[in-house]
PDB file of all heavy atoms in Angstrom:
ATOM      1  N   GLU A 646     -82.580   1.453 -27.863  1.00 90.00           N
ATOM      2  CA  GLU A 646     -82.229   2.070 -29.170  1.00 90.00           C
ATOM      3  C   GLU A 646     -81.129   1.165 -29.835  1.00 90.00           C
ATOM      4  O   GLU A 646     -81.224   0.972 -31.047  1.00 90.00           O
ATOM      5  CB  GLU A 646     -81.644   3.492 -28.974  1.00 90.00           C
ATOM      6  CG  GLU A 646     -82.770   4.519 -28.613  1.00 90.00           C
ATOM      7  CD  GLU A 646     -82.089   5.857 -28.344  1.00 90.00           C
ATOM      8  OE1 GLU A 646     -80.979   6.183 -28.908  1.00 90.00           O
ATOM      9  OE2 GLU A 646     -82.778   6.684 -27.680  1.00 90.00           O
ATOM     10  N   ILE A 647     -80.196   0.723 -29.061  1.00 90.00           N
ATOM     11  CA  ILE A 647     -79.119  -0.133 -29.626  1.00 90.00           C
ATOM     12  C   ILE A 647     -79.677  -1.413 -30.063  1.00 90.00           C
ATOM     13  O   ILE A 647     -79.373  -1.927 -31.193  1.00 90.00           O
ATOM     14  CB  ILE A 647     -78.049  -0.392 -28.517  1.00 90.00           C
ATOM     15  CG1 ILE A 647     -77.310   0.949 -28.143  1.00 90.00           C
ATOM     16  CG2 ILE A 647     -77.050  -1.509 -28.883  1.00 90.00           C
ATOM     17  CD1 ILE A 647     -76.489   0.832 -26.902  1.00 90.00           C
ATOM     18  N   ARG A 648     -80.610  -2.025 -29.330  1.00 87.00           N
ATOM     19  CA  ARG A 648     -81.241  -3.281 -29.769  1.00 87.00           C
ATOM     20  C   ARG A 648     -81.971  -3.067 -31.136  1.00 87.00           C
ATOM     21  O   ARG A 648     -81.876  -3.849 -32.025  1.00 87.00           O
ATOM     22  CB  ARG A 648     -82.208  -3.772 -28.729  1.00 87.00           C
ATOM     23  CG  ARG A 648     -81.502  -4.450 -27.575  1.00 87.00           C
ATOM     24  CD  ARG A 648     -82.578  -4.994 -26.607  1.00 87.00           C
ATOM     25  NE  ARG A 648     -81.989  -5.621 -25.435  1.00 87.00           N
ATOM     26  CZ  ARG A 648     -82.481  -5.655 -24.255  1.00 87.00           C
ATOM     27  NH1 ARG A 648     -83.745  -5.235 -24.020  1.00 87.00           N
ATOM     28  NH2 ARG A 648     -81.818  -6.264 -23.207  1.00 87.00           N
ATOM     29  N   GLN A 649     -82.774  -2.023 -31.155  1.00 92.00           N
ATOM     30  CA  GLN A 649     -83.521  -1.719 -32.378  1.00 92.00           C
ATOM     31  C   GLN A 649     -82.530  -1.556 -33.578  1.00 92.00           C
ATOM     32  O   GLN A 649     -82.879  -2.045 -34.642  1.00 92.00           O
ATOM     33  CB  GLN A 649     -84.320  -0.454 -32.170  1.00 92.00           C
ATOM     34  CG  GLN A 649     -85.573  -0.724 -31.331  1.00 92.00           C
ATOM     35  CD  GLN A 649     -86.553  -1.701 -31.959  1.00 92.00           C
ATOM     36  OE1 GLN A 649     -86.714  -2.728 -31.437  1.00 92.00           O
ATOM     37  NE2 GLN A 649     -87.080  -1.398 -33.102  1.00 92.00           N
ATOM     38  N   ALA A 650     -81.475  -0.809 -33.356  1.00 93.00           N
ATOM     39  CA  ALA A 650     -80.493  -0.570 -34.441  1.00 93.00           C
ATOM     40  C   ALA A 650     -79.922  -1.906 -34.880  1.00 93.00           C
ATOM     41  O   ALA A 650     -79.782  -2.170 -36.120  1.00 93.00           O
ATOM     42  CB  ALA A 650     -79.447   0.366 -34.044  1.00 93.00           C
ATOM     43  N   GLY A 651     -79.507  -2.651 -33.976  1.00 93.00           N
ATOM     44  CA  GLY A 651     -78.972  -4.094 -34.281  1.00 93.00           C
ATOM     45  C   GLY A 651     -79.931  -4.965 -35.064  1.00 93.00           C
ATOM     46  O   GLY A 651     -79.584  -5.563 -35.990  1.00 93.00           O
ATOM     47  N   PHE A 652     -81.170  -5.025 -34.469  1.00 93.00           N
ATOM     48  CA  PHE A 652     -82.156  -5.901 -35.078  1.00 93.00           C
ATOM     49  C   PHE A 652     -82.512  -5.320 -36.421  1.00 93.00           C
ATOM     50  O   PHE A 652     -82.707  -6.156 -37.400  1.00 93.00           O
ATOM     51  CB  PHE A 652     -83.443  -5.947 -34.222  1.00 93.00           C
ATOM     52  CG  PHE A 652     -83.278  -6.805 -33.001  1.00 93.00           C
ATOM     53  CD1 PHE A 652     -83.794  -6.340 -31.827  1.00 93.00           C
ATOM     54  CD2 PHE A 652     -82.525  -7.981 -32.956  1.00 93.00           C
ATOM     55  CE1 PHE A 652     -83.631  -7.139 -30.672  1.00 93.00           C
ATOM     56  CE2 PHE A 652     -82.388  -8.702 -31.906  1.00 93.00           C
ATOM     57  CZ  PHE A 652     -82.913  -8.309 -30.714  1.00 93.00           C
ATOM     58  N   GLY A 653     -82.590  -4.034 -36.657  1.00 94.00           N
ATOM     59  CA  GLY A 653     -82.848  -3.443 -37.938  1.00 94.00           C
ATOM     60  C   GLY A 653     -81.811  -3.763 -38.947  1.00 94.00           C
ATOM     61  O   GLY A 653     -82.112  -4.133 -40.171  1.00 94.00           O
ATOM     62  N   LEU A 654     -80.547  -3.690 -38.529  1.00 94.00           N
ATOM     63  CA  LEU A 654     -79.490  -4.046 -39.427  1.00 94.00           C
ATOM     64  C   LEU A 654     -79.488  -5.533 -39.862  1.00 94.00           C
ATOM     65  O   LEU A 654     -79.332  -5.883 -40.992  1.00 94.00           O
ATOM     66  CB  LEU A 654     -78.082  -3.811 -38.721  1.00 94.00           C
ATOM     67  CG  LEU A 654     -76.799  -4.085 -39.535  1.00 94.00           C
ATOM     68  CD1 LEU A 654     -76.790  -3.340 -40.859  1.00 94.00           C
ATOM     69  CD2 LEU A 654     -75.610  -3.862 -38.687  1.00 94.00           C
ATOM     70  N   MET A 655     -79.756  -6.395 -38.902  1.00 94.00           N
ATOM     71  CA  MET A 655     -79.897  -7.856 -39.172  1.00 94.00           C
ATOM     72  C   MET A 655     -81.080  -8.033 -40.094  1.00 94.00           C
ATOM     73  O   MET A 655     -80.906  -8.983 -41.010  1.00 94.00           O
ATOM     74  CB  MET A 655     -80.035  -8.632 -37.878  1.00 94.00           C
ATOM     75  CG  MET A 655     -78.783  -8.631 -37.035  1.00 94.00           C
ATOM     76  SD  MET A 655     -78.770  -9.554 -35.491  1.00 94.00           S
ATOM     77  CE  MET A 655     -80.480 -10.050 -35.226  1.00 94.00           C
ATOM     78  N   GLU A 656     -82.157  -7.417 -39.915  1.00 96.00           N
ATOM     79  CA  GLU A 656     -83.342  -7.645 -40.727  1.00 96.00           C
ATOM     80  C   GLU A 656     -83.016  -7.237 -42.222  1.00 96.00           C
ATOM     81  O   GLU A 656     -83.310  -7.898 -43.126  1.00 96.00           O
ATOM     82  CB  GLU A 656     -84.543  -6.893 -40.264  1.00 96.00           C
ATOM     83  CG  GLU A 656     -85.139  -7.522 -38.994  1.00 96.00           C
ATOM     84  CD  GLU A 656     -86.251  -6.690 -38.392  1.00 96.00           C
ATOM     85  OE1 GLU A 656     -86.554  -5.607 -38.968  1.00 96.00           O
ATOM     86  OE2 GLU A 656     -86.812  -7.153 -37.400  1.00 96.00           O
ATOM     87  N   ALA A 657     -82.377  -6.063 -42.370  1.00 96.00           N
ATOM     88  CA  ALA A 657     -82.119  -5.604 -43.698  1.00 96.00           C
ATOM     89  C   ALA A 657     -81.073  -6.506 -44.347  1.00 96.00           C
ATOM     90  O   ALA A 657     -81.260  -6.855 -45.609  1.00 96.00           O
ATOM     91  CB  ALA A 657     -81.509  -4.146 -43.550  1.00 96.00           C
ATOM     92  N   PHE A 658     -80.103  -6.940 -43.574  1.00 95.00           N
ATOM     93  CA  PHE A 658     -79.150  -7.920 -44.254  1.00 95.00           C
ATOM     94  C   PHE A 658     -79.773  -9.203 -44.591  1.00 95.00           C
ATOM     95  O   PHE A 658     -79.495  -9.663 -45.717  1.00 95.00           O
ATOM     96  CB  PHE A 658     -77.960  -8.148 -43.186  1.00 95.00           C
ATOM     97  CG  PHE A 658     -76.920  -9.009 -43.809  1.00 95.00           C
ATOM     98  CD1 PHE A 658     -75.843  -8.475 -44.546  1.00 95.00           C
ATOM     99  CD2 PHE A 658     -76.878 -10.414 -43.618  1.00 95.00           C
ATOM    100  CE1 PHE A 658     -74.879  -9.257 -45.167  1.00 95.00           C
ATOM    101  CE2 PHE A 658     -75.894 -11.210 -44.143  1.00 95.00           C
ATOM    102  CZ  PHE A 658     -74.904 -10.575 -44.930  1.00 95.00           C
ATOM    103  N   ALA A 659     -80.650  -9.741 -43.759  1.00 96.00           N
ATOM    104  CA  ALA A 659     -81.314 -11.015 -44.068  1.00 96.00           C
ATOM    105  C   ALA A 659     -82.197 -10.791 -45.288  1.00 96.00           C
ATOM    106  O   ALA A 659     -82.278 -11.697 -46.214  1.00 96.00           O
ATOM    107  CB  ALA A 659     -82.205 -11.402 -42.818  1.00 96.00           C
ATOM    108  N   GLN A 660     -82.823  -9.664 -45.442  1.00 97.00           N
ATOM    109  CA  GLN A 660     -83.671  -9.429 -46.611  1.00 97.00           C
ATOM    110  C   GLN A 660     -82.893  -9.431 -47.882  1.00 97.00           C
ATOM    111  O   GLN A 660     -83.272 -10.091 -48.877  1.00 97.00           O
ATOM    112  CB  GLN A 660     -84.530  -8.114 -46.508  1.00 97.00           C
ATOM    113  CG  GLN A 660     -85.509  -7.858 -47.536  1.00 97.00           C
ATOM    114  CD  GLN A 660     -86.685  -8.832 -47.457  1.00 97.00           C
ATOM    115  OE1 GLN A 660     -87.088  -9.297 -46.415  1.00 97.00           O
ATOM    116  NE2 GLN A 660     -87.243  -9.222 -48.597  1.00 97.00           N
ATOM    117  N   VAL A 661     -81.753  -8.748 -47.845  1.00 96.00           N
ATOM    118  CA  VAL A 661     -80.893  -8.680 -49.060  1.00 96.00           C
ATOM    119  C   VAL A 661     -80.419 -10.117 -49.332  1.00 96.00           C
ATOM    120  O   VAL A 661     -80.391 -10.527 -50.523  1.00 96.00           O
ATOM    121  CB  VAL A 661     -79.712  -7.744 -48.859  1.00 96.00           C
ATOM    122  CG1 VAL A 661     -78.668  -7.815 -50.027  1.00 96.00           C
ATOM    123  CG2 VAL A 661     -80.197  -6.301 -48.772  1.00 96.00           C
ATOM    124  N   TRP A 662     -80.028 -10.845 -48.320  1.00 95.00           N
ATOM    125  CA  TRP A 662     -79.470 -12.227 -48.475  1.00 95.00           C
ATOM    126  C   TRP A 662     -80.561 -13.116 -49.063  1.00 95.00           C
ATOM    127  O   TRP A 662     -80.213 -13.948 -49.886  1.00 95.00           O
ATOM    128  CB  TRP A 662     -78.984 -12.743 -47.201  1.00 95.00           C
ATOM    129  CG  TRP A 662     -77.837 -13.752 -47.440  1.00 95.00           C
ATOM    130  CD1 TRP A 662     -78.030 -15.081 -47.309  1.00 95.00           C
ATOM    131  CD2 TRP A 662     -76.481 -13.528 -47.888  1.00 95.00           C
ATOM    132  NE1 TRP A 662     -76.856 -15.744 -47.647  1.00 95.00           N
ATOM    133  CE2 TRP A 662     -75.916 -14.768 -48.011  1.00 95.00           C
ATOM    134  CE3 TRP A 662     -75.767 -12.392 -48.212  1.00 95.00           C
ATOM    135  CZ2 TRP A 662     -74.641 -14.905 -48.378  1.00 95.00           C
ATOM    136  CZ3 TRP A 662     -74.505 -12.461 -48.609  1.00 95.00           C
ATOM    137  CH2 TRP A 662     -73.880 -13.797 -48.708  1.00 95.00           C
ATOM    138  N   LYS A 663     -81.786 -12.973 -48.668  1.00 96.00           N
ATOM    139  CA  LYS A 663     -82.874 -13.825 -49.099  1.00 96.00           C
ATOM    140  C   LYS A 663     -83.266 -13.536 -50.532  1.00 96.00           C
ATOM    141  O   LYS A 663     -83.634 -14.473 -51.287  1.00 96.00           O
ATOM    142  CB  LYS A 663     -84.050 -13.825 -48.121  1.00 96.00           C
ATOM    143  CG  LYS A 663     -83.826 -14.411 -46.843  1.00 96.00           C
ATOM    144  CD  LYS A 663     -85.052 -14.211 -45.958  1.00 96.00           C
ATOM    145  CE  LYS A 663     -84.802 -14.722 -44.553  1.00 96.00           C
ATOM    146  NZ  LYS A 663     -85.887 -14.371 -43.626  1.00 96.00           N
ATOM    147  N   THR A 664     -83.434 -12.324 -50.783  1.00 97.00           N
ATOM    148  CA  THR A 664     -84.023 -11.976 -52.085  1.00 97.00           C
ATOM    149  C   THR A 664     -83.070 -11.252 -53.120  1.00 97.00           C
ATOM    150  O   THR A 664     -83.457 -11.041 -54.281  1.00 97.00           O
ATOM    151  CB  THR A 664     -85.181 -10.964 -51.861  1.00 97.00           C
ATOM    152  OG1 THR A 664     -84.582  -9.698 -51.296  1.00 97.00           O
ATOM    153  CG2 THR A 664     -86.209 -11.512 -50.945  1.00 97.00           C
ATOM    154  N   GLY A 665     -81.889 -10.952 -52.611  1.00 96.00           N
ATOM    155  CA  GLY A 665     -80.905 -10.174 -53.556  1.00 96.00           C
ATOM    156  C   GLY A 665     -80.240 -11.089 -54.547  1.00 96.00           C
ATOM    157  O   GLY A 665     -80.131 -12.372 -54.330  1.00 96.00           O
ATOM    158  N   THR A 666     -79.652 -10.464 -55.539  1.00 97.00           N
ATOM    159  CA  THR A 666     -78.837 -11.187 -56.482  1.00 97.00           C
ATOM    160  C   THR A 666     -77.432 -11.500 -55.827  1.00 97.00           C
ATOM    161  O   THR A 666     -77.104 -10.873 -54.761  1.00 97.00           O
ATOM    162  CB  THR A 666     -78.525 -10.304 -57.735  1.00 97.00           C
ATOM    163  OG1 THR A 666     -77.783  -9.119 -57.334  1.00 97.00           O
ATOM    164  CG2 THR A 666     -79.897  -9.856 -58.363  1.00 97.00           C
ATOM    165  N   PRO A 667     -76.693 -12.313 -56.421  1.00 96.00           N
ATOM    166  CA  PRO A 667     -75.333 -12.589 -55.921  1.00 96.00           C
ATOM    167  C   PRO A 667     -74.451 -11.250 -55.740  1.00 96.00           C
ATOM    168  O   PRO A 667     -73.771 -11.088 -54.709  1.00 96.00           O
ATOM    169  CB  PRO A 667     -74.641 -13.563 -56.892  1.00 96.00           C
ATOM    170  CG  PRO A 667     -75.852 -14.290 -57.454  1.00 96.00           C
ATOM    171  CD  PRO A 667     -76.908 -13.224 -57.586  1.00 96.00           C
ATOM    172  N   GLU A 668     -74.626 -10.372 -56.612  1.00 97.00           N
ATOM    173  CA  GLU A 668     -73.895  -9.113 -56.579  1.00 97.00           C
ATOM    174  C   GLU A 668     -74.358  -8.277 -55.398  1.00 97.00           C
ATOM    175  O   GLU A 668     -73.598  -7.673 -54.710  1.00 97.00           O
ATOM    176  CB  GLU A 668     -74.039  -8.294 -57.862  1.00 97.00           C
ATOM    177  CG  GLU A 668     -73.324  -8.976 -59.036  1.00 97.00           C
ATOM    178  CD  GLU A 668     -74.237 -10.064 -59.722  1.00 97.00           C
ATOM    179  OE1 GLU A 668     -75.428 -10.090 -59.459  1.00 97.00           O
ATOM    180  OE2 GLU A 668     -73.620 -10.882 -60.388  1.00 97.00           O
ATOM    181  N   GLN A 669     -75.673  -8.228 -55.205  1.00 97.00           N
ATOM    182  CA  GLN A 669     -76.263  -7.473 -54.024  1.00 97.00           C
ATOM    183  C   GLN A 669     -75.880  -8.107 -52.760  1.00 97.00           C
ATOM    184  O   GLN A 669     -75.571  -7.382 -51.818  1.00 97.00           O
ATOM    185  CB  GLN A 669     -77.805  -7.429 -54.238  1.00 97.00           C
ATOM    186  CG  GLN A 669     -78.253  -6.524 -55.287  1.00 97.00           C
ATOM    187  CD  GLN A 669     -79.878  -6.684 -55.551  1.00 97.00           C
ATOM    188  OE1 GLN A 669     -80.344  -7.717 -55.366  1.00 97.00           O
ATOM    189  NE2 GLN A 669     -80.357  -5.597 -56.005  1.00 97.00           N
ATOM    190  N   ARG A 670     -75.812  -9.414 -52.708  1.00 97.00           N
ATOM    191  CA  ARG A 670     -75.346 -10.029 -51.476  1.00 97.00           C
ATOM    192  C   ARG A 670     -73.903  -9.682 -51.111  1.00 97.00           C
ATOM    193  O   ARG A 670     -73.560  -9.452 -49.977  1.00 97.00           O
ATOM    194  CB  ARG A 670     -75.499 -11.599 -51.640  1.00 97.00           C
ATOM    195  CG  ARG A 670     -76.937 -12.092 -51.579  1.00 97.00           C
ATOM    196  CD  ARG A 670     -76.879 -13.584 -51.855  1.00 97.00           C
ATOM    197  NE  ARG A 670     -78.227 -14.098 -51.775  1.00 97.00           N
ATOM    198  CZ  ARG A 670     -78.582 -15.360 -51.917  1.00 97.00           C
ATOM    199  NH1 ARG A 670     -77.629 -16.264 -52.146  1.00 97.00           N
ATOM    200  NH2 ARG A 670     -79.821 -15.752 -51.883  1.00 97.00           N
ATOM    201  N   GLN A 671     -73.050  -9.675 -52.110  1.00 97.00           N
ATOM    202  CA  GLN A 671     -71.685  -9.319 -51.899  1.00 97.00           C
ATOM    203  C   GLN A 671     -71.510  -7.839 -51.455  1.00 97.00           C
ATOM    204  O   GLN A 671     -70.757  -7.517 -50.590  1.00 97.00           O
ATOM    205  CB  GLN A 671     -70.877  -9.504 -53.179  1.00 97.00           C
ATOM    206  CG  GLN A 671     -70.540 -11.088 -53.440  1.00 97.00           C
ATOM    207  CD  GLN A 671     -70.042 -11.697 -52.218  1.00 97.00           C
ATOM    208  OE1 GLN A 671     -68.973 -11.311 -51.689  1.00 97.00           O
ATOM    209  NE2 GLN A 671     -70.557 -12.827 -51.850  1.00 97.00           N
ATOM    210  N   LYS A 672     -72.380  -6.969 -52.025  1.00 97.00           N
ATOM    211  CA  LYS A 672     -72.367  -5.596 -51.533  1.00 97.00           C
ATOM    212  C   LYS A 672     -72.835  -5.510 -50.085  1.00 97.00           C
ATOM    213  O   LYS A 672     -72.241  -4.793 -49.267  1.00 97.00           O
ATOM    214  CB  LYS A 672     -73.267  -4.721 -52.427  1.00 97.00           C
ATOM    215  CG  LYS A 672     -72.700  -4.380 -53.814  1.00 97.00           C
ATOM    216  CD  LYS A 672     -73.708  -3.521 -54.566  1.00 97.00           C
ATOM    217  CE  LYS A 672     -73.212  -3.284 -55.963  1.00 97.00           C
ATOM    218  NZ  LYS A 672     -74.135  -2.470 -56.786  1.00 97.00           N
ATOM    219  N   ALA A 673     -73.887  -6.207 -49.735  1.00 96.00           N
ATOM    220  CA  ALA A 673     -74.356  -6.224 -48.369  1.00 96.00           C
ATOM    221  C   ALA A 673     -73.286  -6.722 -47.400  1.00 96.00           C
ATOM    222  O   ALA A 673     -73.124  -6.231 -46.336  1.00 96.00           O
ATOM    223  CB  ALA A 673     -75.636  -7.045 -48.233  1.00 96.00           C
ATOM    224  N   LEU A 674     -72.580  -7.789 -47.796  1.00 96.00           N
ATOM    225  CA  LEU A 674     -71.471  -8.321 -47.003  1.00 96.00           C
ATOM    226  C   LEU A 674     -70.384  -7.312 -46.754  1.00 96.00           C
ATOM    227  O   LEU A 674     -69.913  -7.069 -45.683  1.00 96.00           O
ATOM    228  CB  LEU A 674     -70.989  -9.650 -47.620  1.00 96.00           C
ATOM    229  CG  LEU A 674     -70.061 -10.512 -46.806  1.00 96.00           C
ATOM    230  CD1 LEU A 674     -70.708 -10.906 -45.510  1.00 96.00           C
ATOM    231  CD2 LEU A 674     -69.698 -11.662 -47.694  1.00 96.00           C
ATOM    232  N   ALA A 675     -70.098  -6.603 -47.859  1.00 97.00           N
ATOM    233  CA  ALA A 675     -68.941  -5.614 -47.726  1.00 97.00           C
ATOM    234  C   ALA A 675     -69.449  -4.427 -46.808  1.00 97.00           C
ATOM    235  O   ALA A 675     -68.599  -3.975 -46.052  1.00 97.00           O
ATOM    236  CB  ALA A 675     -68.667  -5.001 -49.149  1.00 97.00           C
ATOM    237  N   VAL A 676     -70.676  -3.973 -46.943  1.00 96.00           N
ATOM    238  CA  VAL A 676     -71.195  -2.973 -46.089  1.00 96.00           C
ATOM    239  C   VAL A 676     -71.104  -3.354 -44.667  1.00 96.00           C
ATOM    240  O   VAL A 676     -70.787  -2.590 -43.727  1.00 96.00           O
ATOM    241  CB  VAL A 676     -72.625  -2.542 -46.552  1.00 96.00           C
ATOM    242  CG1 VAL A 676     -73.317  -1.643 -45.464  1.00 96.00           C
ATOM    243  CG2 VAL A 676     -72.548  -1.782 -47.914  1.00 96.00           C
TER     244      VAL A 676
END
Side-chain angles (χ1 to χ4, degrees):
E646 286 178 24
I647 292 167
R648 284 182 182 155
Q649 285 298 114
F652 288 138
L654 179 62
M655 289 180 354
E656 287 174 1
F658 184 84
Q660 186 67 34
V661 172
W662 205 258
K663 289 177 188 174
T664 63
T666 65
E668 293 81 19
Q669 290 170 327
R670 288 178 179 179
Q671 287 306 309
K672 286 181 184 178
L674 191 58
V676 166

